[in-house]
Amino acid sequence: MPLSTQSQSGNDEYILVASLDNARNLSNILKAISFKDHAIFNVTQNGLKVTIEDSKCLQANAFIQADIFQEFTLKEDVVGFQVNLTVLLDCLTIFGGSTVPGVNTALRMCYNGYGYPLTLFLEEGGVVTVCKINTQEPEELIDFDFCSTNVTNKVILQSDSLKEAFSELDMTSEVLQLTMSPSHPYFRLSTFGNSGNAHYDYPKDSDMMELFQCTKTQTNRYKMSLLKPSTKALALSCKVSVRTDGRGFLSLQYLVRNDDGQICFVEYYCCPDEEVESNE
Amino acid sequence: MKFRAKINDVGCLNHFTRVLNTITKLTKTCVLRLTVDNVYFVLSGKVANGGVSMWCELLQVNFFDEYQLEGVSSEANEICLEVAPENLSRALKTAQNAKSVKIKLTKKHCPCLTLAAELVSIYLPPLKTMKSVVDRMKNLSNYLVVEANLNGEMNLKIETDLVSVTTHFRDLGNPPWGDNAVQSQSRDVETMAHARVDIRKLQQFLMGQQVNPNKSMCTRLSQHTETRCSDLQTGVKSTTYISMWAKQRRWLLTSGEHRVTTLHSPSTTPL
């Protein structure tokens, strides 16, 4: 809907008002899922959930709880809309993306309901920027039907251990293969690229391994192009949980601490490329 | 009929202004006759009542760097207008420190003579902040609008189908010299002068300045664009351009504004 047909309205008419003293507490986490333009916002009394999907095979969600915000007022039970995430990030970082200590951009995010733009008021050093971003009707989200009762294998790792592996991943490999098993190799990432095969092993008694619950040997392959963007979320996080279910669907959950040390979550769901049964 | 002329030289501008000041003292109205070679201010026929009669002939090349005229007809290649010299004089007065003044014949509701002169100068905000904002805006749009007023306020605005973004800078201060001092008397300080700018050019300018901020430089950034029309009675209309330049180590944004002097219909018979 063009901006010209979206009318202005007063403060009391906003159905959503969310304020942050430090806009980075929103922009940093959104950057972790910013691999596509269209982001679907789902707002409830619990807070903000922002979703990006790719090819119906990958879904990334960022959760920012209501108590992260200095002000969070929602006049309806659920509010949903879609915005261009790239545009939103450019607006949130309008005063520059650098982290200068003590200098913060304050944010007030307002939404009036269906058909209205998402309005951002940003302030830094006495300079105010007002952004009105066009919203669209939210697309329907995929339900990966991933529930904890179907989880076959689960590990929780400290992110540092995976960061090196992910940054070195052979991008000439079309897939990233994940093997999880109660026995050796326990947890293995593999790539099959032009220069050869590469394996990253994480034994179950490693210091980096905070939790190891594998019930059955599973090897699954996922498209590299789908999983590579998750590196951004990994870089921000301190811990990651890796789970697969009976179908080989992958769930990655990242624990992210913001500038103020508060906890937010990012999760990625991915469909397997093909299933390979292995008895290694 | 067409008429466009430009004065680039400050000395010529001052001289032209002094001529008009003199004429203003002599009469309330007169005829302005524009030919290919000359500009005439003529007042005749008042002798019977004991009034003043005047003939002022100026060689246009002595004043104007650019001068284009298409008269009433090819046989009578001139334009005659009845003017109140005081209006012209007042408009020129505010342009005394201008880098250039453009004069042209336009027609909206009636034939008008429009003048462009620099009227708003404002100190720029810290270049670092301005650069951050402009860098982000460049991702969103090709053009932005710069607005500034004599109240030390400046806005940068973009508007596209996807998004509109406005950044408001306050308490920037306006330099005390020349046009500003005069303008603050006759112009509402909150009125914004504005111009549309190609963001890439603005970005290039800002990047350049961080390297050598003491260099005195004038960069013309945009074309003239039509803006709001205020006060139809006096026919004041504003159209602006902006220049950014360094003076005394502070960055300035200077914008221009057209001033319109309403005139009677051009006469078809040459004098």
Side-chain angles (χ1 to χ4, degrees), chain A residues 3 84 87 90-91 93-98 126-134 136, chain B residues 128-129 132-134 136-137 139-140 159-170:
Chain A
L3 283 170
N84 184 313
V87 169
D90 277 329
C91 291
T93 58
I94 193 85
F95 293 112
S98 64
V127 182
V128 175
T129 297
V130 183
C131 308
K132 290 194 204 289
I133 307 172
N134 205 2
Q136 293 104 42
Chain B
K128 185 164 176 287
T129 310
S132 297
V133 170
V134 170
R136 290 291 182 272
M137 285 182 167
N139 293 342
L140 302 168
E159 183 153 351
T160 68
D161 286 339
L162 283 178
V163 65
S164 79
V165 180
T166 304
T167 298
H168 303 269
F169 296 95
R170 296 282 174 268

Side-chain angles (χ1 to χ4, degrees), chain A residues 54-55 57-58 223-230 268 270-271:
Chain A
D54 187 0
S55 330
C57 296
L58 182 90
K223 276 204 160 46
M224 182 67 85
S225 56
L226 291 177
L227 281 188
K228 183 66 179 165
S230 70
Y268 274 72
C270 193
C271 302

Side-chain angles (χ1 to χ4, degrees), chain A residues 126-278:
Chain A
V127 182
V128 175
T129 297
V130 183
C131 308
K132 290 194 204 289
I133 307 172
N134 205 2
T135 58
Q136 293 104 42
E137 187 132 5
E139 280 169 17
E140 225 180 280
L141 293 175
I142 310 164
D143 178 6
F144 280 76
D145 197 26
F146 194 101
C147 59
S148 27
T149 47
N150 288 340
V151 171
T152 42
N153 292 320
K154 174 177 176 176
V155 306
I156 297 182
L157 281 158
Q158 284 181 20
S159 301
D160 281 341
S161 60
L162 280 179
K163 280 175 192 174
E164 206 184 308
F166 264 76
S167 62
E168 286 175 2
L169 282 178
D170 183 355
M171 293 307 293
T172 64
S173 171
E174 274 191 32
V175 297
L176 178 64
Q177 180 171 284
L178 173 65
T179 301
M180 291 171 85
S181 170
S183 54
H184 179 76
Y186 304 109
F187 186 89
R188 172 181 278 179
L189 295 171
S190 308
T191 57
F192 313 96
N194 293 341
S195 26
N197 302 342
H199 303 287
Y200 297 85
D201 285 359
Y202 296 84
K204 76 172 187 179
D205 51 8
S206 149
D207 286 341
M208 297 295 202
M209 191 72 72
E210 286 201 6
L211 180 95
F212 188 91
Q213 283 171 4
C214 291
T215 61
K216 142 181 177 176
T217 300
Q218 262 191 318
T219 300
N220 290 295
R221 292 180 171 198
Y222 307 93
K223 276 204 160 46
M224 182 67 85
S225 56
L226 291 177
L227 281 188
K228 183 66 179 165
S230 70
T231 313
K232 281 195 221 175
L234 181 65
L236 265 191
S237 66
C238 43
K239 278 188 217 190
V240 55
S241 122
V242 183
R243 300 179 301 164
T244 51
D245 70 4
R247 305 163 299 170
F249 278 49
L250 174 67
S251 153
L252 299 165
Q253 290 178 319
Y254 303 89
L255 192 153
V256 174
R257 279 194 196 275
N258 67 19
D259 280 3
D260 299 313
Q262 297 163 305
I263 290 174
C264 296
F265 290 95
V266 173
E267 70 187 1
Y268 274 72
Y269 290 111
C270 193
C271 302
D273 199 36
E274 57 179 79
E275 224 167 286
V276 174
E277 287 301 311
S278 167

